[in-house]
Amino acid sequence: MHEVQEKKEKKPIILSGIQPTGIFTLGNYIGAIRNWVQLQEDYDTAYMIADLHALTVRQDPKVLRENILRAYAVILACGVDPEKSLTFIQSQVPEHAQLSWILSCNTQFGELSRMTQFKDKSAKHADNINAGLFTYPSLMAADILLYQADLVPVGADQSQHLELTRDIATRFNGLYGNTFKLPQGYYPKVGARVMSLADPTKKMSKSDENQNAFITILDEPGTIVKKFKRAVTDSEMSVRYAEGKDGINNLMSIYSSVTGLTYEQIEHDFAGKGYGDFKQAVGEAVAEELRPVRENYKRLREDKAYLEACYRAGAEKASHVARRTLQKVYKKCGLIL
Ligand code: TYM
């Protein structure tokens, strides 16, 4: 027998999630999912479909069920590998809801009232400003803190929630002794905020009513090119990154993030060419980037048994990890487990 045990190297931990509402956009892909895939090589990664978060807005149960399964298949199609990453559905790991309650009791009303997402969503759904919408960030904090995550790969729109997660963790650690690791956001260098193609001052969002405002991960190549051709730009002619050129800046950052070219290289390549040529090139590059995702998805979505085996195993393993933190928290709070 070998006496020398190889010391198991501890990798930093990553956790992230996505809500299963509609088909994911190019913003979700560039801002988050693409990083998830890259990070799973060198980190201990956990990715989840945040279905409990989706309930903060009214959902049709049939549609939600379909969207959860579709979302799970899409992240696998993008390259999240259940062999490498804990890949699960949030509601199947009860520790998330359990820790969320405890964290809610350690989150201040004032802190939650300052969340811009809460303000935006309550303006949009004025007929349903429910308590879950308000305490949403405590659930997100639970998602992250349960796994003692070091890094959280997200787009820029989640940075406020992440700051609050750190504040909640710091407060809890201060009151009860060191319990949670303080996580940090991990943002892409370009594309942390992909903007709408119809109004480049607004974030690209899957809930936009205008279909031309966003690209979905599963759009056909022809549709992708057509949507980019319609993208709102400005009345100038030159492809250059500059203040006030929101539309072109957005297209340049999308192009840069899928091709790896710098803004200078893009400006050089398109010097003397019009916006039409540039839009065509961006459309084609994005269609090419998403081609394997669309193909993988078609295959995976049919394989219900495989998907189910993956998410059930994922939930079981995730629960095992999450339970350790929850037990620690119960003990510190004076609860009996
Ligand atoms: P969600 O579902 O709105 O978005 C999923 C991820 O996509 C990123 N994203 C974007 N990035 C760049 N440009 C855009 N236009 C764009 N739109 C969306 C988001 O920043 C996010 O990273 N609360 C989260 C889900 C969540 C979560 C978590 C994330 C629940 N628990 C724990 C991290 C850790 C949300 O609603 O993301």
Side-chain angles (χ1 to χ4, degrees), residues 15-21 24-33 36 48-50 53 90 117 121 136 139-141 143-144 152-159 161-162 187-188 191-196 202-206:
L15 177 123
S16 197
I18 186 162
Q19 291 194 62
T21 43
F24 301 156
T25 66
L26 184 65
N28 297 130
Y29 180 76
I30 293 177
I33 306 175
W36 297 8
M48 56 162 215
I49 303 302
H53 280 95
Q90 182 188 32
Q117 187 172 309
K121 284 211 174 168
Y136 174 117
L139 176 59
M140 182 160 158
D143 301 336
I144 298 167
V152 183
V154 281
D157 62 333
Q158 294 299 320
S159 65
H161 289 157
L162 218 69
Y187 306 97
R193 199 171 161 79
V194 176
M195 309 307 276
S196 152
K202 267 181 24 192
K203 182 184 87 164
M204 182 182 283
S205 157
K206 52 195 169 216

